[in-house]
mmCIF file of all heavy atoms in Angstrom:
data_model
loop_
_atom_site.group_PDB
_atom_site.id
_atom_site.type_symbol
_atom_site.label_atom_id
_atom_site.label_comp_id
_atom_site.label_asym_id
_atom_site.label_seq_id
_atom_site.Cartn_x
_atom_site.Cartn_y
_atom_site.Cartn_z
ATOM 1 N N TRP A 1141 62.906 -214.681 16.222
ATOM 2 C CA TRP A 1141 61.950 -215.734 15.877
ATOM 3 C C TRP A 1141 62.729 -216.967 15.461
ATOM 4 O O TRP A 1141 63.805 -216.856 14.853
ATOM 5 C CB TRP A 1141 61.049 -215.294 14.720
ATOM 6 C CG TRP A 1141 60.314 -214.017 14.985
ATOM 7 C CD1 TRP A 1141 60.560 -212.805 14.401
ATOM 8 C CD2 TRP A 1141 59.228 -213.803 15.894
ATOM 9 N NE1 TRP A 1141 59.686 -211.858 14.892
ATOM 10 C CE2 TRP A 1141 58.862 -212.444 15.814
ATOM 11 C CE3 TRP A 1141 58.527 -214.633 16.768
ATOM 12 C CZ2 TRP A 1141 57.833 -211.894 16.575
ATOM 13 C CZ3 TRP A 1141 57.498 -214.087 17.526
ATOM 14 C CH2 TRP A 1141 57.159 -212.737 17.431
ATOM 15 N N GLY A 1142 62.159 -218.135 15.726
ATOM 16 C CA GLY A 1142 62.820 -219.365 15.312
ATOM 17 C C GLY A 1142 62.890 -219.472 13.793
ATOM 18 O O GLY A 1142 63.802 -220.050 13.236
ATOM 19 N N SER A 1143 61.872 -218.919 13.113
ATOM 20 C CA SER A 1143 61.870 -218.952 11.649
ATOM 21 C C SER A 1143 60.983 -217.814 11.148
ATOM 22 O O SER A 1143 60.242 -217.210 11.926
ATOM 23 C CB SER A 1143 61.296 -220.275 11.156
ATOM 24 O OG SER A 1143 59.913 -220.292 11.446
ATOM 25 N N LYS A 1144 61.077 -217.608 9.830
ATOM 26 C CA LYS A 1144 60.248 -216.549 9.231
ATOM 27 C C LYS A 1144 58.766 -216.892 9.424
ATOM 28 O O LYS A 1144 57.942 -216.015 9.656
ATOM 29 C CB LYS A 1144 60.591 -216.457 7.743
ATOM 30 C CG LYS A 1144 60.129 -215.163 7.103
ATOM 31 C CD LYS A 1144 60.581 -215.075 5.672
ATOM 32 C CE LYS A 1144 59.620 -215.804 4.777
ATOM 33 N NZ LYS A 1144 59.910 -215.670 3.342
ATOM 34 N N MET A 1145 58.453 -218.173 9.334
ATOM 35 C CA MET A 1145 57.057 -218.594 9.517
ATOM 36 C C MET A 1145 56.575 -218.247 10.930
ATOM 37 O O MET A 1145 55.419 -217.869 11.118
ATOM 38 C CB MET A 1145 56.943 -220.111 9.258
ATOM 39 C CG MET A 1145 55.528 -220.612 9.226
ATOM 40 S SD MET A 1145 54.439 -219.567 8.265
ATOM 41 C CE MET A 1145 54.314 -220.441 6.762
ATOM 42 N N GLY A 1146 57.484 -218.352 11.898
ATOM 43 C CA GLY A 1146 57.141 -217.993 13.274
ATOM 44 C C GLY A 1146 56.711 -216.532 13.335
ATOM 45 O O GLY A 1146 55.696 -216.186 13.964
ATOM 46 N N PHE A 1147 57.470 -215.686 12.652
ATOM 47 C CA PHE A 1147 57.101 -214.259 12.618
ATOM 48 C C PHE A 1147 55.746 -214.079 11.951
ATOM 49 O O PHE A 1147 54.875 -213.364 12.459
ATOM 50 C CB PHE A 1147 58.161 -213.437 11.854
ATOM 51 C CG PHE A 1147 57.651 -212.069 11.477
ATOM 52 C CD1 PHE A 1147 57.679 -211.020 12.388
ATOM 53 C CD2 PHE A 1147 57.101 -211.827 10.215
ATOM 54 C CE1 PHE A 1147 57.171 -209.766 12.061
ATOM 55 C CE2 PHE A 1147 56.589 -210.568 9.880
ATOM 56 C CZ PHE A 1147 56.635 -209.547 10.801
ATOM 57 N N ILE A 1148 55.575 -214.724 10.791
ATOM 58 C CA ILE A 1148 54.334 -214.515 10.028
ATOM 59 C C ILE A 1148 53.111 -214.910 10.864
ATOM 60 O O ILE A 1148 52.130 -214.167 10.938
ATOM 61 C CB ILE A 1148 54.368 -215.302 8.687
ATOM 62 C CG1 ILE A 1148 55.423 -214.675 7.772
ATOM 63 C CG2 ILE A 1148 53.002 -215.312 8.013
ATOM 64 C CD1 ILE A 1148 55.674 -215.426 6.483
ATOM 65 N N LEU A 1149 53.219 -216.040 11.546
ATOM 66 C CA LEU A 1149 52.074 -216.484 12.350
ATOM 67 C C LEU A 1149 51.833 -215.555 13.536
ATOM 68 O O LEU A 1149 50.703 -215.210 13.860
ATOM 69 C CB LEU A 1149 52.286 -217.920 12.828
ATOM 70 C CG LEU A 1149 52.197 -218.974 11.724
ATOM 71 C CD1 LEU A 1149 52.587 -220.341 12.253
ATOM 72 C CD2 LEU A 1149 50.784 -219.020 11.146
ATOM 73 N N ALA A 1150 52.920 -215.122 14.193
ATOM 74 C CA ALA A 1150 52.756 -214.236 15.350
ATOM 75 C C ALA A 1150 52.201 -212.881 14.910
ATOM 76 O O ALA A 1150 51.296 -212.328 15.549
ATOM 77 C CB ALA A 1150 54.086 -214.061 16.074
ATOM 78 N N ALA A 1151 52.728 -212.350 13.808
ATOM 79 C CA ALA A 1151 52.265 -211.031 13.345
ATOM 80 C C ALA A 1151 50.837 -211.128 12.818
ATOM 81 O O ALA A 1151 50.014 -210.225 13.028
ATOM 82 C CB ALA A 1151 53.209 -210.478 12.281
ATOM 83 N N ALA A 1152 50.531 -212.240 12.141
ATOM 84 C CA ALA A 1152 49.144 -212.423 11.689
ATOM 85 C C ALA A 1152 48.240 -212.559 12.912
ATOM 86 O O ALA A 1152 47.107 -212.076 12.925
ATOM 87 C CB ALA A 1152 49.022 -213.653 10.796
ATOM 88 N N GLY A 1153 48.764 -213.189 13.956
ATOM 89 C CA GLY A 1153 47.994 -213.324 15.196
ATOM 90 C C GLY A 1153 47.697 -211.965 15.800
ATOM 91 O O GLY A 1153 46.603 -211.722 16.318
ATOM 92 N N SER A 1154 48.668 -211.067 15.725
ATOM 93 C CA SER A 1154 48.452 -209.708 16.231
ATOM 94 C C SER A 1154 47.353 -209.023 15.415
ATOM 95 O O SER A 1154 46.440 -208.401 15.953
ATOM 96 C CB SER A 1154 49.753 -208.905 16.121
ATOM 97 O OG SER A 1154 49.483 -207.540 16.307
ATOM 98 N N ALA A 1155 47.464 -209.176 14.102
ATOM 99 C CA ALA A 1155 46.531 -208.478 13.215
ATOM 100 C C ALA A 1155 45.120 -209.066 13.321
ATOM 101 O O ALA A 1155 44.135 -208.333 13.416
ATOM 102 C CB ALA A 1155 47.045 -208.566 11.779
#
Side-chain angles (χ1 to χ4, degrees):
W1141 304 109
S1143 70
K1144 197 176 84 175
M1145 188 45 101
F1147 165 83
I1148 292 174
L1149 290 173
S1154 167

